[in-house]
Amino acid sequence: MNPVRSERDSTGLACRIRRHSLKMVHRAGASHIGGCLSAADLLAQLYGGWLRVDPERPEWLDRDRFILSKGHVAAALYATLAEIGFFPRHWLDSYCADGAKLGGHVMHRGVPGVEVSTGSLGHGLPIALGMALGLKRDQRAARVVVLLSDGECDEGSNWEAALLAPQLRLDNLVVIIDCNRFQGLGRTDEVAALEPLGAKWSAFRWKVIELDGHDHNQIAGALAAIPFEMDRPSLILAHTIKGKGVSFMEDELAWHYKSPDDAQLAAALREIDAQEEKCRSRSSSLSPAEASSLVINTEVS
Amino acid sequence: MRKAFIDTMLEVAGDDQRLNLVVGDLGYSVVEPFAKRFPDRFLNAGVAEQNMTGLATGLALTGERIVFNYSIANFPVMRCLEQIRNDVCHHQANVKIVAVGGGVAYGAQGFSHHAVEDLAVMRAMPGMVVTAPADAAETRAVTRLACATPGPWYIRLGKNGEPGLHAGSVEFSRVGASIQVCDGRDGTLIATGAVAHEVAEAARQLARRGVHVRMLSMPFVKPIDHQAILRAASETPWIVTVEEHNAFGGLGSAVADVLTQGPLNTRLLRLCYPEFIHETGGQAFLRRQHGLDALGIVDFVQREAVGNW
């Protein structure tokens, strides 16, 4: 089973996800590092012990399913899966290379641990809904988690699924929104304002929790409380910072597109190294019970 | 045809626990028996075809399932085309897309309900088996074969009460098989879908006028029956395809694709709808207007095929 257990491990895992992602997009000259960095802490918490997955048995029928619907941050998912042991780390070197299994958007074929291919936004949640329904029908306890971007919430297919999931009482379905407030051409609130996003999902009868998507204690606390309510799907609105962890990439739209050059990569990795050193030296963390108390519930009644 | 479909689904579902039916809030007075008998394997996904197609994929990928997505005309095909391509086809999910009212079966309902580009669009989908059964007997056989064959299928049905093309039941030896309805050496008529009974009637009328044609019913547009087409091309001087579809990418195109690979000692002519159907009217009226009724087919064959050869 998944070997990463403690909160300290998960922050270390997040650093490793960031480091791999930076190297991968640098080597490939690829885009989307900003979104990889905003999702890294969420991925680390999910795969750092919460998801019931087994790298030795990727097709295990009772596994939890994770779908990265914002498929453009594939590098971060591949990095996570390699760190957890689904495939060798050296595969990451082939990201986007000719003949590689690891494409620029999430590819499942021949990649253990990847449930489905994504890349066009708005596909992950309907598939996840079907999986959650299938697991319920098969009376399996497994859960299905799908990670969306906030910009992705422009896609109507998400709202079709959002409407149906509570009707089917899918409390084994979890949506996490990586809410970094950027989309392709600008701030989400300047393109097609999503706010109040949590209230929208609440109005669709999801149980909503809002939190800091870089605070491992808060994320751990929320995950520990899933399902937030019996017979209802859970939604975590994770406030994040695009480019989180690399000072000159933070909250900059350009890093949706740019690939770091050699000097930028070196500077970014120095920052990640420093963070990893810091989290390695941290001695304690909050218990899940303490963490839960930090969670802000924005349920609209 | 839709009754034959749902009856077959009920029969198969009784024996095969894998069978699931998802509908897009359509199928009133058709799907209820399934919903009642197999509530745990039925779902009304609402008026939301993108979600319906994605969730069918998720269902099919979780445990062993055969998932039929049922709606009408273009709704389960075009509204959710990217879900069909990226979700169903790319993952080779065991999802069968069923569209009732193929062609202009809902003729008088207007443009939105004319499904006359669906075969082309579905043929282009990777790994998709594309079918248009001609009558209730072909519908039963296609539905059973779809259940027995993993992977994505498209099944274009008519509505209900179509005249039978075949006297008894039919069975396909393989995916892609065609059925020879009658034989002759003066030419070949190839049909797909419910319009086949007009073609069969045309063949009978031509015979009375001394023109003896071979008629092939091709419920499988992809994969198509290469051998039957190449045999017709070598044994008869012309082939006329008849379909309730436009000229782009349907049966006529599929037959033409095959003919480019074989001996070209035959002539291919195509009967289909024009790019735009501006008239309002029922299926029989629209067929008549565009020469897809038996009489129109006979006239076309005598004018374009027999006379010009």
Side-chain angles (χ1 to χ4, degrees):
Chain A
M1 291 288 286
N2 195 332
V4 184
R5 284 296 174 203
S6 74
E7 183 272 345
R8 201 181 64 182
D9 281 351
S10 76
T11 52
L13 175 57
C15 290
R16 294 195 295 281
I17 294 169
R18 290 192 164 96
R19 183 184 294 111
H20 285 307
S21 300
L22 284 159
K23 288 181 175 174
M24 289 161 75
V25 298
H26 168 262
R27 192 183 296 109
S31 297
H32 307 128
I33 186 61
C36 290
L37 297 176
S38 73
D41 295 300
L42 296 164
L43 286 168
Q45 270 297 328
L46 285 167
Y47 281 94
W50 188 80
L51 283 172
R52 292 188 287 246
V53 292
D54 184 354
E56 300 298 316
R57 294 179 296 163
E59 305 289 322
W60 175 41
L61 286 175
D62 286 310
R63 72 189 182 280
D64 288 340
R65 273 74 168 171
F66 174 76
I67 296 177
L68 183 62
S69 193
K70 44 177 287 185
H72 52 286
V73 305
L77 177 62
Y78 299 147
T80 308
L81 295 174
E83 279 293 328
I84 296 299
F86 275 99
F87 49 81
R89 287 189 184 87
H90 71 79
W91 282 25
L92 301 178
D93 299 341
S94 71
Y95 171 65
C96 286
D98 294 344
K101 290 178 178 146
L102 307 184
H105 290 74
V106 175
M107 303 291 288
H108 80 289
R109 200 164 293 270
V111 187
V114 176
E115 297 289 344
V116 292
S117 299
T118 52
S120 176
L121 298 174
H123 284 251
L125 178 51
I127 297 175
L129 190 160
M131 289 179 166
L133 178 63
L135 291 166
K136 285 266 183 194
R137 285 182 172 181
D138 290 347
Q139 297 177 317
R140 295 185 189 277
R143 303 156 299 187
V144 185
V145 181
V146 54
L147 182 62
L148 309 184
S149 73
D150 49 353
E152 182 176 4
C153 290
D154 288 2
E155 290 283 0
S157 51
N158 289 316
W159 299 103
E160 292 184 358
L163 196 59
L164 187 63
Q167 189 75 31
L168 301 176
R169 301 179 176 192
L170 297 177
D171 56 9
N172 57 346
L173 177 62
V174 183
V175 166
I176 304 176
I177 302 180
D178 177 1
C179 197
N180 61 33
R181 294 179 184 268
F182 271 118
Q183 59 188 101
L185 294 183
R187 297 270 180 196
T188 51
D189 60 6
E190 291 167 354
V191 178
L194 294 163
E195 293 300 333
L197 188 53
K200 286 189 172 77
W201 287 86
S202 287
F204 276 65
R205 298 191 289 157
W206 289 60
K207 186 71 180 176
V208 177
I209 282 181
E210 249 177 280
L211 49 71
D212 175 346
H214 302 304
D215 184 322
H216 282 245
N217 288 315
Q218 285 193 28
I219 304 167
L223 291 176
I226 283 171
F228 301 149
E229 194 176 308
M230 286 291 285
D231 293 338
R232 285 173 75 180
S234 304
L235 183 118
I236 297 175
L237 193 55
H239 295 290
T240 59
I241 296 168
K242 195 151 183 144
K244 173 71 177 179
V246 177
S247 56
F248 58 90
M249 292 182 177
E250 287 191 1
D251 210 33
E252 287 287 341
L253 177 62
W255 291 102
H256 189 74
Y257 302 100
K258 277 168 50 173
S259 186
D261 62 23
D262 292 351
Q264 287 165 331
L265 176 69
L269 293 179
R270 275 196 299 277
E271 291 192 28
I272 303 300
D273 288 345
Q275 288 156 30
E276 194 165 22
E277 187 54 41
K278 203 167 126 195
C279 77
R280 204 177 281 132
S281 63
R282 264 170 71 182
S283 56
S284 68
S285 64
L286 298 175
S287 70
E290 287 169 316
S292 307
S293 67
L294 294 176
V295 168
I296 312 151
N297 188 343
T298 61
E299 176 84 11
V300 176
S301 55
Chain B
M1 256 192 253
R2 64 188 180 202
K3 184 169 186 322
F5 166 73
I6 203 71
D7 288 349
T8 309
M9 289 288 284
L10 284 164
E11 288 162 24
V12 175
D15 302 328
D16 192 337
Q17 295 294 316
R18 299 174 304 158
L19 194 59
N20 283 249
L21 177 63
V22 180
V23 303
D25 204 37
L26 286 164
Y28 183 76
S29 80
V30 178
V31 299
E32 289 85 348
F34 190 101
K36 205 171 163 197
R37 218 173 119 195
F38 306 104
D40 295 339
R41 289 189 271 149
F42 175 80
L43 176 69
N44 181 359
V47 193
E49 292 79 13
Q50 294 185 69
N51 183 50
M52 175 171 82
T53 308
L55 86 81
T57 306
L59 258 183
L61 294 178
T62 309
E64 285 233 345
R65 283 193 177 78
I66 312 162
V67 184
F68 277 73
N69 262 14
Y70 177 99
S71 185
I72 71 171
N74 299 308
F75 310 153
V77 175
M78 299 206 190
R79 185 58 168 267
C80 48
L81 183 57
E82 196 185 63
Q83 277 76 14
I84 294 174
R85 177 186 180 272
N86 292 17
D87 304 348
V88 175
C89 291
H90 175 74
H91 298 92
Q92 284 294 286
N94 203 2
V95 173
K96 322 295 179 186
I97 296 151
V98 181
V100 175
V104 297
Y106 289 109
Q109 302 305 316
F111 172 78
S112 60
H113 285 56
H114 295 169
V116 287
E117 303 93 11
D118 57 328
L119 298 177
V121 171
M122 289 295 98
R123 275 182 74 214
M125 293 296 105
M128 179 72 78
V129 173
V130 181
T131 70
D135 66 356
E138 287 191 11
T139 299
R140 286 189 199 94
V142 163
T143 304
R144 281 194 173 274
L145 196 51
C147 292
T149 312
W153 281 50
Y154 173 59
I155 303 175
R156 176 214 253 210
L157 299 179
K159 277 192 342 193
N160 228 6
E162 292 87 356
L165 180 67
H166 308 287
S169 65
V170 300
E171 203 170 321
F172 297 109
S173 55
R174 59 185 164 83
V175 175
S178 65
I179 300 171
Q180 185 171 301
V181 177
C182 60
D183 201 9
R185 291 297 164 115
D186 294 337
T188 300
L189 298 176
I190 303 179
T192 195
V195 78
H197 83 88
E198 303 275 3
V199 179
E201 175 58 26
R204 283 189 288 272
Q205 291 186 19
L206 284 165
R208 286 200 288 274
R209 298 178 192 198
V211 180
H212 298 280
V213 299
R214 176 178 302 178
M215 181 192 160
L216 301 172
S217 177
M218 293 205 164
F220 292 93
V221 182
K222 178 191 173 188
I224 200 158
D225 194 337
H226 282 236
Q227 294 93 323
I229 294 167
L230 292 175
R231 210 160 41 240
S234 66
E235 293 173 1
T236 69
W238 49 260
I239 295 172
V240 172
T241 58
V242 186
E243 61 193 309
E244 280 202 302
H245 194 272
N246 71 19
F248 308 103
L251 174 71
S253 299
V255 171
D257 288 350
V258 174
L259 291 180
T260 61
Q261 301 162 21
L264 291 172
N265 58 353
T266 193
R267 193 160 160 248
L268 175 65
L269 295 159
R270 298 156 60 170
L271 259 175
C272 55
Y273 282 114
E275 203 163 352
F276 289 95
I277 299 174
H278 290 302
E279 302 91 338
T280 296
Q283 187 171 36
F285 169 81
L286 290 174
R287 283 179 179 170
R288 208 158 52 236
Q289 283 294 105
H290 296 284
L292 292 178
D293 63 330
L295 196 60
I297 297 165
V298 168
D299 286 349
F300 179 83
V301 165
Q302 289 202 308
R303 191 175 67 242
E304 302 291 337
V306 179
N308 287 336
W309 187 249

